[in-house]
Amino acid sequence: MKHLADLDGGAVDLAGAFNASPNPYVLLTPDLRIAGANQAYLDVTASTREAIIGRPLFAAFDSGPGESAPENVRQVKASLEKARDSGQRDHLALVRFSIARTTSAGASVMEERFWSATHTPILNAEGEVIWLLQHTTDITELERLRQRIETTHGASSTSALDAMIGGNVLERARIVQEDNLRLANERNRLVDMFMQAPGFVAVLAGPDHVFQFYNDAYRRLIGHRDVEGRTVAEALPEVTGQGYIDMLDSVFETGESVQGQASLVQFQRSPGEAPNSAYVDFVYQPIRDSDGRIVGVFVQGHDVTDAVEATQRQKLMIDELNHRVKNTLATVQSIAVQTARSHVDPRTFAEGFQARLLALSHTHDLLTRSHWEGADLGAVFKHETEAHGAYRVTLNGLPVALDPAAALSLGMVFHELATNAAKYGALSTPEGRVLVDWFVTDQNRPVLHLSWRETGGPPVVAPARRGFGSRLIERNIHHDLAGEVKLDYASDGFSADFSIPLDRGTHS
């Protein structure tokens, strides 16, 4: 994660590990302003974040009295500039500063302290120095001891102590290295957490929104493309014109966050493929540097496509269910009225009405099993004729998928045909049989051709008037299915021929 700004404000990158370190650290911008400091640094300098953050390093502290005061500033400044300009770590074995301290009596005094320091440049992906990390070790007591020995015993007696100081610097360097390694481990652990987060995360730098970081969830969202170091417009050209780059521009220019819920975005998941729809909850937040300037946009959110599409499917199913319930009630009402006209006797009315409702229920059962996506023609036939004996009704035809409306209408038609055959036709005698054949032609559009043939039954006499069964068959075929039907009452057996288009689109 390259964004280290606002460490003192608790940013998500290394703030926790940075602040918890027992070693004093201060983070500087390339122009040597204080961008962050950990608690150990605040403690040894007797300062507060509010007093030093954003100020130039050498204005934040009094360099102390005396002619030598500018020298310590020059030393530290030269070392920092060397680290910044070379991109390499630089060490200062000894530097003196005066720090304000409050005595037990409450008085404020300036105390002279001696530090050794290491200045480490922090680079971005392009090798540019974006931060300078200063790590210091307080060697005041050791330096005072060296001075006392030199005063008492002369300069030659300090050689051993100088070696100790050198050893101390080496030890400090070792400690710095270990702390840097620990911080690197903390950084890697935080990066791993971001990479494994279920929500998508990306960091965009600059006004052109260049990808500096993105996690696995974001990579999955955009089709596993490598977009690091590229602008959003370059890496994801399909989002241009969808409004998202405009929103990023707004966040960068105004500093105001933008968020969206179940927002539609089109992503091209694979090269050459048409963009696919995705729905996301997202937040765009500005990233600011230590001076409060906006330097990028932090993107986070969740892919909610599955949830949105599930909700849409549920709504469609509810709408379809409401539609089907209305149609079913209308069908039941029609069955009741027509059955009442055909049966004066209440007992026979009840029998006929119940039988037709059961036929409707059977087809409903089939459609429920397929979640109302449709039913197979042969399965509908089987449901309506199996009560008369499977061996007496022969079905011959390839599987044909019926939409829900066609399945309901044909279910009622097949019930009327089977009922009529059982009362008056081939199924009313032990020897009678019914042969059902169907096939589909596909010239300009697919059309189902179906024939019902009865044999071995009693002689057929054409009815003196059209009963409810024949009216229901003709109405369902003509009105509901936009098809044609021919009923033939030949003396040797009743037959019916149907021609029904299968691509009627959406029908009630």
Side-chain angles (χ1 to χ4, degrees):
M1 192 79 175
K2 299 180 180 67
H3 170 231
L4 298 174
D6 197 23
L7 288 172
D8 59 302
V12 295
D13 299 313
L14 301 178
F18 184 85
N19 200 50
S21 173
N23 301 287
Y25 286 94
V26 61
L27 190 69
L28 305 171
T29 61
D31 61 351
L32 306 186
R33 289 180 176 271
I34 297 176
N38 69 351
Q39 190 60 46
Y41 184 90
L42 298 176
D43 291 341
V44 299
T45 59
S47 58
T48 64
R49 287 190 175 87
E50 292 76 12
I52 64 174
I53 295 301
R55 299 186 61 193
L57 175 65
F58 303 109
F61 303 102
D62 182 3
S63 59
E67 294 182 357
S68 63
E71 178 61 16
N72 57 12
V73 173
R74 186 196 65 77
Q75 287 178 312
V76 175
K77 185 171 184 293
S79 178
L80 286 167
E81 290 176 343
K82 180 179 178 181
R84 178 194 62 194
D85 297 339
S86 68
Q88 301 294 322
R89 183 180 293 117
D90 190 63
H91 302 281
L92 278 177
L94 182 68
V95 61
R96 181 182 64 80
F97 273 98
S98 294
I99 301 298
R101 181 177 63 82
T102 303
T103 66
S104 58
S108 178
V109 298
M110 298 301 296
E111 181 180 17
E112 188 179 67
R113 306 297 296 180
F114 295 90
W115 293 349
S116 65
T118 296
H119 298 135
T120 303
I122 298 174
L123 312 180
N124 63 13
E126 289 73 34
E128 301 167 333
V129 176
I130 56 175
W131 308 102
L132 291 166
L133 182 66
Q134 183 189 79
H135 170 241
T136 56
T137 299
D138 190 337
I139 59 170
T140 301
E141 299 304 321
L142 192 59
E143 175 61 14
R144 288 175 179 170
L145 176 60
R146 189 191 68 80
Q147 292 175 357
R148 286 197 299 271
I149 292 175
E150 183 176 0
T151 300
T152 304
H153 303 285
S156 61
S157 299
T158 61
S159 57
L161 187 59
D162 288 339
M164 290 174 59
I165 294 176
N168 180 72
V169 171
L170 292 175
E171 177 64 14
R172 181 191 53 73
R174 182 188 64 79
I175 294 173
V176 170
Q177 184 178 15
E178 290 177 352
D179 287 339
N180 287 340
L181 179 60
R182 181 175 60 80
L183 287 173
N185 289 336
E186 290 291 338
R187 173 191 181 279
N188 292 337
R189 187 153 51 245
L190 288 172
V191 170
D192 287 342
M193 291 172 61
F194 273 103
M195 292 300 291
Q196 298 171 21
F200 59 78
V201 174
V203 174
L204 308 176
D208 294 329
H209 318 303
V210 177
F211 281 99
Q212 286 193 316
F213 172 87
Y214 55 99
N215 68 350
D216 289 340
Y218 194 91
R219 184 186 293 271
R220 289 194 298 271
L221 179 69
I222 62 175
H224 299 277
R225 282 176 278 185
D226 184 7
V227 298
E228 186 171 359
R230 304 173 67 190
T231 67
V232 172
E234 292 171 344
L236 308 173
E238 68 272 22
V239 305
T240 303
Q242 297 187 45
Y244 292 95
I245 296 180
D246 294 336
M247 285 186 276
L248 291 171
D249 290 341
S250 175
V251 174
F252 193 88
E253 293 169 2
T254 67
E256 297 181 0
S257 299
V258 171
Q259 62 180 353
Q261 291 186 331
S263 183
L264 174 64
V265 58
Q266 299 282 336
F267 281 123
Q268 186 178 27
R269 304 299 177 96
S270 299
E273 288 188 359
N276 294 325
S277 297
Y279 295 89
V280 294
D281 292 344
F282 69 91
V283 177
Y284 294 162
Q285 302 178 82
I287 299 173
R288 300 178 184 271
D289 64 11
S290 59
D291 295 323
R293 293 172 300 192
I294 298 173
V295 296
V297 178
F298 184 71
V299 177
Q300 59 180 330
H302 295 272
D303 184 350
V304 294
T305 303
D306 290 344
V308 171
E309 290 181 346
T311 300
Q312 292 174 342
R313 286 194 298 269
Q314 184 180 44
K315 183 179 183 303
L316 287 174
M317 290 180 65
I318 291 174
D319 291 344
E320 178 70 13
L321 178 61
N322 289 335
H323 181 70
R324 295 301 171 195
V325 167
K326 290 179 181 178
N327 282 355
T328 300
L329 291 175
T331 300
V332 171
Q333 183 181 27
S334 176
I335 291 173
V337 172
Q338 297 297 330
T339 305
R341 290 177 181 174
S342 303
H343 298 79
V344 179
D345 181 21
R347 183 181 62 80
T348 60
F349 162 78
E351 291 176 354
F353 183 60
Q354 182 179 18
R356 287 167 179 140
L357 287 184
L358 285 175
L360 191 64
S361 173
H362 288 161
T363 309
H364 267 261
D365 287 343
L366 280 177
L367 292 172
T368 300
R369 294 173 195 170
S370 69
H371 304 286
W372 278 81
E373 293 180 358
D376 178 67
L377 173 65
V380 176
F381 249 124
K382 183 178 179 182
H383 263 70
E384 301 304 334
T385 60
E386 63 184 356
H388 304 287
Y391 68 96
R392 303 190 66 189
V393 179
T394 302
L395 306 178
N396 181 35
L398 296 175
V400 175
L402 301 175
D403 62 40
L408 287 171
S409 293
L410 289 177
M412 295 298 299
V413 168
F414 300 156
H415 169 77
E416 294 302 325
L417 290 172
T419 300
N420 185 72
K423 287 183 177 181
Y424 314 111
L427 299 181
S428 66
T429 62
E431 298 80 12
R433 298 289 185 273
V434 176
L435 305 176
V436 182
D437 297 276
W438 68 83
F439 62 93
V440 175
T441 58
D442 191 5
Q443 297 174 352
N444 296 325
R445 61 177 186 168
V447 177
L448 171 66
H449 300 275
L450 186 146
S451 68
W452 171 285
R453 297 281 185 273
E454 298 182 16
T455 63
V460 176
V461 177
R465 61 183 182 86
R466 293 170 62 247
F468 171 62
S470 60
R471 290 199 302 273
L472 183 146
I473 291 172
E474 291 174 351
R475 180 186 181 281
N476 280 19
I477 298 300
H478 291 310
H479 179 268
D480 293 348
L481 302 179
E484 300 293 334
V485 58
K486 179 181 178 182
L487 305 180
D488 186 2
Y489 296 91
S491 60
D492 59 343
F494 170 79
S495 66
D497 292 288
F498 302 89
S499 177
I500 303 167
L502 295 178
D503 64 344
R504 298 170 300 114
T506 301
H507 290 265
S508 300

